[in-house]
């Protein structure tokens, strides 16, 4: 037996001691003071952005500051990850095809407590922080509420010191840049990465292979078990990029991990050496297409296939990443060690898009780790949760079996086996055949489809809705048979928003006013904001409240004038409807009401003289392939062209469509609103979060009893909101007994005059006939979304609003009470409920930061 070489051991000890000096340096927390910030900022401007006095411009100043802030985030992220690993904490992976992060500079400064220092440091160099932050582009990682919800959740996860992270796709191009040309939406590429992204960190060491196509082969393993092996036809690499997310007033920093697609082999020298230079790089370009664009056109086969590839890339990379971390930390050498997986890992599927997590986790456990089926399925279910975001059965994602099987042959086999086992269990329990068919993951028919929502329900330990009404609807209608089967599986988690972005950052004057009166405890406990209720009738507080609202309206008026060339009166009612353009959201009901008021002013001088000045503002994007939604935008713009240029009305009524709705524009619109339009057809909006953002800044809700509107009214009281229209039950009853919009059109004079103006080309004289299809859908096409049924009630509630707005003190009191009662709608509350009831994760104990957020 050889004796250890003492000199070698001494050298190793000496090397490790020297290493320790480096680790000690890394463990030191950087100073957050003016001198340290200015030095770091100047360093990044010269050495990272590579600028000097003659070339530095505003965008360069922004990038240098962003890199400076990122340095501090990296330090805290490393500390956070070390704590998670040392405590062997259970990790959450929140998987979403969208994370609508918006701009990051200001909210990161707010959460880290660096905003005042950064402003002072820039001011010393002659720059204004408010101007510099406007150089940041909106991150093009989402479209609407689904992605913005995920972004709010990630911020709350960090603020609550929870060991969780987000997972999504690194889209090179966002949904699209919306332009309005002669009233029509035109789409242009959203090249949000064209100047690079200073917030992202490419993780060169975190890369996973993701396979497509090919076939499967059967073989018998050493234990005599028949197993399957996937022989792929195409492989790509999922490359990780991290965007760091700090919590508020904590050392915790988590991350959004974005996956970009790269070629499995970057360059084919065989093609190159034979002179086929284009073919040599063709495969690389083809692979990178997967993460190129958010929401490819699903009206064509290639678009559908690309979308499915995106969903699988996200799911496969995230699960491989999570299992690699689990193996690193747990080292599951024995088979039974895998039983700890649900104690260390949980995946939350945000809608059905990540439902492939069910067969992918099964594939890895069964095929790669030789686990028996039943045990693998038990672990899979315990590691997964599913959030549903729709009450419309036709909106639940389905995939054609033939296409799915071609792209993911092994996953189709796994889904078939999951489904077979599930249906056998149902039949053994005596479930009737018609119920079995409704619960089946495979939808039979002329063309077979995979019901991804059913797959998510079967493969998850918990399913949740996102508002109380929404959850009841999915229990009673959308997933009623699943609810009967598993009565405890479906639960409610009402959505929430992060008030640090939507109040502290976006409406900082109001946040400061509130803090002056009640302190800053509401920043980490939004329920505490209710303390301002005691000031709701204080004349001085009311005056300050109105002053801030007017300032926000003046700021938005300048944006409107710049974008649309229309001057608006900031002292008019700012009546705002901002959301994705869709028939069920009923932007066109708002237009019908505007036309009615316009027509009445044209024929009734007394009404014109008494009319409360109003600016009606719309914003939102229509899906490129959704023709009727695009025509709703055209109708809004056409009505606006007439109303805004009519000297009989344009002093008191303006109609605005602000193009290219995005997070940074929303941050200017929510604080300026007097009225929050939440007028979707009752029973069709899952939750909504725009209603919460409006409420937080003191806007009054006009809406139906739909989504989270129900809970908003419960909190603030019906006397401080304007509710109208049919309820969800009344809508269902109307459909059941045979709703007749033709009768309403014939018998209701106001409705008929409005619709005849649309049909008669009053607002589109240069393009006659373009609104005929829209007219037909409302009158002879069944008016599925019940606009005509709700028209009178909507008209009347708007008249109440106009009258109430004249009582300045009473209106301001209602505005203050809306903000005071917004505490329930904090995403902190939502995330606490998820962590407690579904994820089973606990907050970590971290030292307080040396610089505290205010």
């Amino acid at each position: 037996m050889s004796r250890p070489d003492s000199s070698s051991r001494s050298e190793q000890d000496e090397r490790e001691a020297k290493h320790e000096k480096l680790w000690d340096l890394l463990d030191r927390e950087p100073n957050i003071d003016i001198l340290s910030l200015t030095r770091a900022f100047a360093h990044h401007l010269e050495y990272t952005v590579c600028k000097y006095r003659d070339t530095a411009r505003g965008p360069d100043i922004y990038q240098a500051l962003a890199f400076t802030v990122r340095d501090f985030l990296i330090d805290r992220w490393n500390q956070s990850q070390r704590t998670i690993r040392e405590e062997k904490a259970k990790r959450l992976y929140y998987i979403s095809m969208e994370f609508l992060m918006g701009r990051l500079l200001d909210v990161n400064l707010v959460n880290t407590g660096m905003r005042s220092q950064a402003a002072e440091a820039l001011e010393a160099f002659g720059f204004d922080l408010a101007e510099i932050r406007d150089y940041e582009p909106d991150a093009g990682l989402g479209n609407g509420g689904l992605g913005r919800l995920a972004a709010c959740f990630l911020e709350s996860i960090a603020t609550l010191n929870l060991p969780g992270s987000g997972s999504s796709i690194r889209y090179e191009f966002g949904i699209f840049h919306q332009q309005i040309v002669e009233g029509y939406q035109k789409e242009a590429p959203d090249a949000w990465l064209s100047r690079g992204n200073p917030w992202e960190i490419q993780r060169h060491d975190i890369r996973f292979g993701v396979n497509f196509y090919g076939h499967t082969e059967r073989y018998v393993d050493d234990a005599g078990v028949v197993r399957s092996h996937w022989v792929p036809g195409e492989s790509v690499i999922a490359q990780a990029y991290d965007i760091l997310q700090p919590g508020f007033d904590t050392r915790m920093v988590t991350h959004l991990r974005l996956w970009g697609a790269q070629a499995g082999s970057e360059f084919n020298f065989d093609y190159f050496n034979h002179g086929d230079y284009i073919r040599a790089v063709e495969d690389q370009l083809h692979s990178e297409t997967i993460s190129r664009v958010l929401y490819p056109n699903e009206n064509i086969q290639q678009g559908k296939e690309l979308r499915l590839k995106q969903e699988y890339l996200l799911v496969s990379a995230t699960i491989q990443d999570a299992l690699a971390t689990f193996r690193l930390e747990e080292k599951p050498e024995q088979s039974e060690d895998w039983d700890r997986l649900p104690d260390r890992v949980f995946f939350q599927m945000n809608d059905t898009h990540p439902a492939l997590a069910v067969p992918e986790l099964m594939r890895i456990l069964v095929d790669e780790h030789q686990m028996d089926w039943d045990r693998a399925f038990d672990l899979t279910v315990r590691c997964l949760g599913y959030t549903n975001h729709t009450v419309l059965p036709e909106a639940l994602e389905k995939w054609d079996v033939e296409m799915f099987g071609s792209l993911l042959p092994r996953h189709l086999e796994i889904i078939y086996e999951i489904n077979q086992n599930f249906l056998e269990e149902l039949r053994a329990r005596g479930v009737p055949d018609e119920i079995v068919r409704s619960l089946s993951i495979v939808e039979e028919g002329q063309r077979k489809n995979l019901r991804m929502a059913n797959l998510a329900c079967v493969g998850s330990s918990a399913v949740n809705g996102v508002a109380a009404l929404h959850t009841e609807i999915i229990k009673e209608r959308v997933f009623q048979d699943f609810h009967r089967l598993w009565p405890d599986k479906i639960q409610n988690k009402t959505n929430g928003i992060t008030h640090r972005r939507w109040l502290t950052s976006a409406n900082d004057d109001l946040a400061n006013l509130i803090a002056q009166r009640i302190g800053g405890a509401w920043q980490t406990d939004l329920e505490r904001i209710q303390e301002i209720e005691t000031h709701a009738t204080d004349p001085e507080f009311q005056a300050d409240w109105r002053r801030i609202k007017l300032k926000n309206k003046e700021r938005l008026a300048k944006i409107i004038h710049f974008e649309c060339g229309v001057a608006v009166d900031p002292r008019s009612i700012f009546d705002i409807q901002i959301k994705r353009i869709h028939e069920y959201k009923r932007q066109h009901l708002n237009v019908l009401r505007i036309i009615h008021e316009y027509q009445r002013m044209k024929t009734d001088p007394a009404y014109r003289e008494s009319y409360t000045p109003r600016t009606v503002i719309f914003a939102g994007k229509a899906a490129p392939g959704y023709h009727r939604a695009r025509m709703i935008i055209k109708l809004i713009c056409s009505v606006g062209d007439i109303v805004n240029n009519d000297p009989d009305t344009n002093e008191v009524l303006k109609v605005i469509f602000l193009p290219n709705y995005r997070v940074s524009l929303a941050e200017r619109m929510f604080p300026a609103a007097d009225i929050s339009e939440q007028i979707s057809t009752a029973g069709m909006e899952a939750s909504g979060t725009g209603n919460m953002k409006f409420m937080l800044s003191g806007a009054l809700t006009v809406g139906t009893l739909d989504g989270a509107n129900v809970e908003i009214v419960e909190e603030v009281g019906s006397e401080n909101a304007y509710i109208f229209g049919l309820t969800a039950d009344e809508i269902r009853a109307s459909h059941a007994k045979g709703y007749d919009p033709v009768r309403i059109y014939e018998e209701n004079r106001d409705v008929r005059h409005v619709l005849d103006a649309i049909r008669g080309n009053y607002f589109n004289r240069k393009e006659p006939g373009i609104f005929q299809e829209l007219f037909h859908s409302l009158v002879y096409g069944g008016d599925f979304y019940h606009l005509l049924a709700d028209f009178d009630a909507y008209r009347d509630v708007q008249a109440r609003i106009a009258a109430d707005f004249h009582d300045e003190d009473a209106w301001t009191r209602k505005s203050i009470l809306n903000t005071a009662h917004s505490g329930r709608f904090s995403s902190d509350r939502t995330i606490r409920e998820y962590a407690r009831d579904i994820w089973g994760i606990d907050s970590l104990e971290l030292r307080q930061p040396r610089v505290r957020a205010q």
Side-chain angles (χ1 to χ4, degrees):
M1 182 175 178
S2 60
R3 302 179 66 178
D5 188 334
S6 58
S7 60
S8 298
R9 187 170 55 193
S10 176
E11 291 175 1
Q12 179 65 24
D13 291 342
E14 183 179 354
R15 187 179 298 112
E16 290 180 359
K18 290 180 178 179
H19 288 171
E20 199 61 36
K21 295 179 181 179
L22 175 60
W23 311 144
D24 287 342
L25 284 174
L26 294 182
D27 286 342
R28 293 181 185 178
E29 183 176 359
N31 293 323
I32 303 179
D33 54 56
I34 301 298
L35 180 60
S36 300
L37 278 175
T38 53
R39 286 176 174 172
F41 167 76
H43 176 88
H44 278 297
L45 183 62
E46 181 172 7
Y47 296 106
T48 307
V49 188
C50 300
K51 296 293 180 178
Y52 62 100
R53 67 170 63 214
D54 296 332
T55 61
R57 301 290 184 269
D60 309 312
I61 302 302
Y62 152 69
Q63 288 223 342
L65 181 58
F67 281 118
T68 302
V69 177
R70 195 188 74 170
D71 286 350
F72 292 96
L73 300 187
I74 289 172
D75 182 76
R76 291 185 180 181
W77 184 87
N78 285 331
Q79 294 178 33
S80 301
Q81 292 302 305
R82 183 175 178 181
T83 300
I84 293 171
R85 179 167 295 187
E86 289 174 349
E87 295 192 10
K88 292 194 173 182
K90 183 177 183 178
R91 295 175 186 257
L92 163 76
Y93 297 84
Y94 193 89
I95 311 176
S96 178
M97 287 294 286
E98 297 183 35
F99 271 85
L100 196 56
M101 301 295 284
R103 294 171 174 173
L104 296 177
L105 176 59
D106 195 62
V107 291
N108 285 347
L109 290 172
V110 166
N111 280 16
T112 55
M114 297 168 60
R115 191 200 240 176
S116 60
Q117 292 95 323
E120 185 177 342
L122 285 184
E123 197 277 332
F125 294 128
F127 298 105
D128 180 4
L129 176 61
E131 294 178 2
I132 294 302
R133 66 190 181 193
D134 283 341
Y135 286 107
E136 180 176 7
D138 283 60
L141 298 171
N143 174 29
L146 184 81
R148 188 51 236 166
L149 178 76
C152 285
F153 280 3
L154 190 65
E155 195 269 357
S156 285
I157 286 168
T159 296
L160 297 174
N161 291 346
L162 292 169
S165 61
S167 300
S168 195
I169 300 286
R170 183 182 181 265
Y171 303 105
E172 185 176 338
F173 295 95
I175 183 166
F176 57 83
H177 180 93
Q178 182 193 55
Q179 300 170 337
I180 302 299
V181 180
E182 296 183 351
Y184 289 99
Q185 171 180 287
K186 302 294 183 183
E187 298 88 21
D190 177 22
W192 71 284
L193 286 172
S194 61
R195 293 182 61 89
N197 180 9
W199 300 109
E200 77 175 9
I201 303 164
Q202 183 173 0
R203 301 292 189 183
H204 295 282
D205 57 327
I206 303 178
R207 313 171 82 235
F208 298 98
V210 178
N211 300 322
F212 303 101
Y213 304 111
H215 63 278
T216 61
E217 296 176 350
R218 301 274 180 168
Y219 70 98
V220 179
D221 68 11
D222 295 340
V225 177
V226 178
R227 297 195 176 275
S228 292
H229 172 63
W230 181 13
V231 182
E234 178 183 300
S235 297
V236 302
I237 297 297
Q239 171 65 60
Y241 298 79
D242 286 351
I243 294 178
L244 304 186
Q245 171 65 66
F248 179 84
D249 195 26
T250 174
R251 289 178 185 269
M252 172 61 79
V253 173
T254 186
H255 60 272
L256 168 60
R257 181 150 291 170
L258 303 173
W259 298 101
Q262 297 180 355
S265 55
E266 293 189 359
F267 199 82
N268 191 316
F269 276 96
D270 186 51
Y271 292 141
F272 182 85
N273 291 334
H274 287 83
D276 195 346
Y277 308 121
I278 295 176
R279 183 73 181 274
V281 296
E282 194 174 62
D283 289 344
Q284 179 182 3
L285 296 175
H286 176 72
S287 298
E288 293 174 355
T289 298
I290 296 175
S291 57
R292 180 83 25 107
V293 63
L294 170 68
Y295 289 133
N297 186 353
E298 294 185 46
N299 293 329
I300 58 175
Q301 184 66 19
Q302 295 95 320
K304 292 178 181 178
E305 191 169 299
L306 179 56
R307 180 64 172 173
L308 185 57
K309 279 186 171 183
Q310 289 179 337
E311 293 181 3
Y312 180 60
L313 178 88
L314 168 60
V315 161
S316 180
T318 300
I319 292 178
Q320 290 186 71
D321 188 25
L323 295 185
T325 301
F326 171 74
R327 290 195 298 270
L328 178 67
E329 295 178 355
E330 287 291 312
K331 300 178 175 57
E333 299 174 358
Q334 304 297 322
S335 174
E336 59 269 18
D337 294 339
W338 282 97
D339 291 338
R340 297 197 297 272
L341 185 65
D343 299 324
R344 298 299 309 280
V345 172
F346 197 91
F347 303 99
Q348 185 67 33
M349 300 180 288
N350 192 29
D351 216 349
T352 54
H353 311 127
L356 284 167
V358 179
E360 175 66 0
L361 185 52
M362 285 294 294
R363 182 192 67 81
I364 293 173
L365 294 178
V366 172
D367 294 357
E368 296 185 9
H369 295 284
Q370 311 290 294
M371 195 176 292
D372 71 81
W373 180 275
D374 290 342
R375 181 175 171 225
F377 190 69
D378 174 67
L379 294 177
T380 295
V381 170
R382 290 164 60 196
C383 287
L384 289 169
Y386 161 51
T387 299
N388 172 269
H389 284 278
T390 182
V391 298
L392 303 176
E394 65 271 19
L396 297 174
E397 191 174 45
K398 298 178 182 179
W399 289 110
D400 176 74
V401 165
E402 183 176 345
M403 185 195 76
F404 188 98
S406 172
L407 188 68
L408 299 169
R410 178 56 181 144
H411 295 76
L412 183 60
E413 292 177 351
I414 292 171
I415 291 172
Y416 273 150
E417 189 163 352
I418 291 173
N419 195 49
Q420 179 180 337
N421 294 342
F422 175 53
L423 299 187
E424 288 176 356
E425 177 189 341
L426 295 177
R427 293 188 178 103
R429 295 171 61 166
V431 176
D433 286 344
E434 64 271 18
I435 303 297
V436 171
R437 283 192 293 272
S438 77
L439 292 173
S440 175
I441 298 168
V442 181
E443 180 182 56
E444 302 292 342
Q446 189 172 4
R447 293 185 69 89
K448 287 185 178 181
N449 289 305
L450 299 179
R451 298 166 168 147
M452 303 309 283
N454 288 27
L455 174 62
C457 288
V458 172
S460 297
S461 57
V463 176
N464 72 277
V466 292
L469 176 62
H470 168 241
T471 301
E472 290 308 306
I473 290 174
I474 64 174
K475 286 180 178 180
E476 296 171 4
R477 285 159 43 190
V478 182
F479 297 141
Q480 59 179 334
D481 295 327
F482 280 110
H483 183 53
R484 292 193 191 103
L485 183 66
W486 299 310
D488 298 325
K489 196 168 195 175
I490 300 176
Q491 53 184 280
N492 180 56
K493 296 288 172 279
T494 296
N495 283 343
I497 60 172
T498 169
H499 48 285
R500 270 83 57 174
R501 175 180 285 273
W502 296 108
L503 184 54
T504 310
S505 175
N507 199 351
D508 54 346
D509 285 339
L510 188 62
N512 291 334
L513 175 65
I514 293 169
Q516 288 168 12
R517 287 299 180 109
I518 65 170
W522 57 272
Q523 295 276 19
T524 51
D525 180 7
L526 192 58
E527 294 283 356
R528 297 284 299 275
I529 205 169
Q530 190 168 352
E531 295 171 19
I532 66 169
E533 185 169 359
T534 59
H535 304 282
T537 57
D538 179 339
E540 182 182 353
F541 189 69
Q542 282 201 351
D544 287 340
W545 193 274
R546 286 192 293 268
R547 174 182 54 79
I548 291 168
K549 177 66 73 174
L550 181 61
K551 179 180 177 181
N552 290 330
K553 293 167 74 173
E554 289 171 342
R555 182 172 59 182
L556 181 59
K558 291 179 181 178
I559 294 172
I560 291 171
H561 190 264
F562 177 81
E563 293 286 348
C564 306
V566 179
V568 301
D569 179 6
R571 295 189 180 276
S572 66
I573 299 174
F574 270 30
D575 180 348
I576 302 183
Q577 186 173 12
I578 44 177
K579 47 186 75 233
R580 177 169 54 95
I581 309 298
H582 196 289
E583 289 170 274
Y584 87 82
K585 295 179 183 290
R586 302 202 298 188
Q587 285 92 348
H588 44 337
L589 174 60
N590 198 345
V591 179
L592 299 187
R593 182 264 303 187
I594 293 168
I595 294 173
H596 165 71
E597 293 179 356
Y598 170 74
Q599 289 177 328
R600 190 173 173 190
M601 278 193 279
K602 293 289 287 182
T603 59
D604 184 349
Y607 178 75
R608 159 69 180 81
E609 290 301 318
S610 65
Y611 188 81
T612 305
R614 188 184 297 241
T615 302
V616 187
I617 306 168
F618 297 85
K621 296 179 180 180
Y626 190 175
H627 173 73
R628 194 169 291 166
R630 295 169 67 95
M631 291 310 297
I632 289 172
I633 293 176
K634 174 60 176 174
L635 179 63
I636 294 168
C637 295
S638 296
V639 171
D641 283 343
I642 297 296
V643 172
N644 298 343
N645 292 290
D646 189 331
D648 293 338
T649 60
N650 63 10
E651 291 296 318
V652 292
L653 177 62
K654 293 286 175 63
V655 180
I656 303 298
F657 189 94
L658 271 170
N660 202 37
Y661 183 55
R662 57 204 183 277
V663 173
S664 58
L665 180 58
E667 290 170 341
R668 296 293 175 258
M669 297 183 77
F670 287 118
D674 295 305
I675 288 295
S676 161
E677 294 277 354
Q678 307 298 326
I679 60 176
S680 54
T681 307
M684 294 191 179
E685 183 74 82
S687 170
T689 55
N691 45 10
M692 303 170 189
K693 295 160 195 163
F694 278 119
M695 182 188 191
L696 184 65
S697 276
L700 277 59
T701 299
V702 54
T704 54
L705 287 173
D706 194 26
N709 293 352
V710 176
E711 292 160 84
I712 286 175
V713 173
E714 289 175 357
E715 289 297 307
V716 76
S718 58
E719 69 278 10
N720 297 308
Y722 295 89
I723 301 301
F724 74 96
L726 300 176
T727 65
D729 289 341
E730 289 169 341
I731 294 285
R732 289 187 68 194
S734 174
H735 280 301
K737 71 179 183 182
Y739 171 54
D740 185 8
V742 175
R743 182 182 58 80
I744 298 175
Y745 170 73
E746 292 174 345
E747 297 179 1
N748 188 315
R749 179 178 176 274
D750 289 345
V751 167
R752 189 169 65 256
H753 282 188
V754 168
L755 292 176
D756 284 351
I758 294 173
R759 180 176 63 170
N761 305 312
Y762 184 89
F763 299 101
N764 53 294
R765 292 165 187 165
K766 294 181 180 179
E767 299 176 272
I770 61 173
F771 298 128
Q772 290 298 317
E773 192 273 338
L774 193 57
F775 168 87
H776 189 276
S777 71
L778 295 176
V779 179
Y780 303 112
D783 185 23
F784 183 77
Y785 299 101
H786 280 61
L787 277 75
L788 305 192
D790 276 349
F791 176 86
D792 282 354
Y794 184 52
R795 175 201 61 201
D796 294 344
V797 81
Q798 291 288 356
R800 282 179 49 213
I801 289 170
D804 290 352
F805 192 73
H806 288 287
D807 189 338
E808 192 176 64
D809 292 344
W811 185 273
T812 304
R813 177 180 176 277
K814 290 181 180 182
S815 175
I816 294 169
L817 291 178
N818 269 267
T819 299
H821 288 269
S822 61
R824 178 176 175 181
F825 305 106
S826 167
S827 50
D828 293 355
R829 186 267 313 153
T830 312
I831 291 302
R832 284 191 185 97
E833 293 178 2
Y834 272 107
R836 180 193 66 210
D837 301 336
I838 296 178
W839 303 337
I841 62 175
D842 299 313
S843 296
L844 300 169
E845 293 291 334
L846 298 169
R847 290 184 296 117
Q848 291 288 353
R850 280 189 285 173
V851 174
R852 306 297 301 278
Q854 301 297 317

